[in-house]
Amino acid sequence: VRVKRGDRNGKTVIAHRMAYETWVGPIPKGAVIHHTCSNRLCINPDHLQAITPAENTAEMIERRTYLKEIRELKRRIQDLEEDAA
């Protein structure tokens, strides 16, 4: 989601970056805004943190691995339930 920033130059800014700057403070140079809630549309400042691109990538890889493990466990549970029926 993009919003118009209210400053003089009229730059277009991504909503979560504007939310962070408004309620948390300036975004450090080179930082990206990470959603701790994993909802890319979220603008809740409590769910936003400024981190390096490398940290953001590492967290994304960890989350994908975790979600893959959850899907596999769900599949195994379903197989066990089908075998028990």
Side-chain angles (χ1 to χ4, degrees):
V1 176
R2 293 189 180 271
V3 295
K4 280 280 189 181
R5 180 189 285 246
D7 60 10
R8 281 191 215 157
N9 66 11
K11 266 186 1 185
T12 299
V13 181
I14 298 172
H16 64 270
R17 291 183 67 87
M18 185 171 171
Y20 185 93
E21 290 175 331
T22 300
W23 292 300
V24 179
I27 299 170
K29 188 171 181 83
V32 297
I33 300 303
H34 171 68
H35 296 84
T36 59
C37 62
S38 302
N39 179 355
R40 293 173 51 189
L41 299 177
C42 180
I43 61 166
N44 181 339
D46 293 334
H47 298 176
L48 305 175
Q49 65 182 165
I51 61 175
T52 68
E55 290 170 322
N56 196 44
T57 300
E59 195 282 332
M60 180 185 66
I61 290 168
E62 183 179 330
R63 184 180 318 136
R64 283 185 180 167
T65 300
Y66 179 68
L67 292 174
K68 183 179 178 182
E69 289 173 3
I70 289 173
R71 283 191 299 272
E72 177 62 22
L73 288 171
K74 284 182 176 180
R75 187 190 62 76
R76 288 182 184 181
I77 289 169
Q78 185 178 14
D79 289 348
L80 289 171
E81 288 173 341
E82 289 172 1
D83 288 347

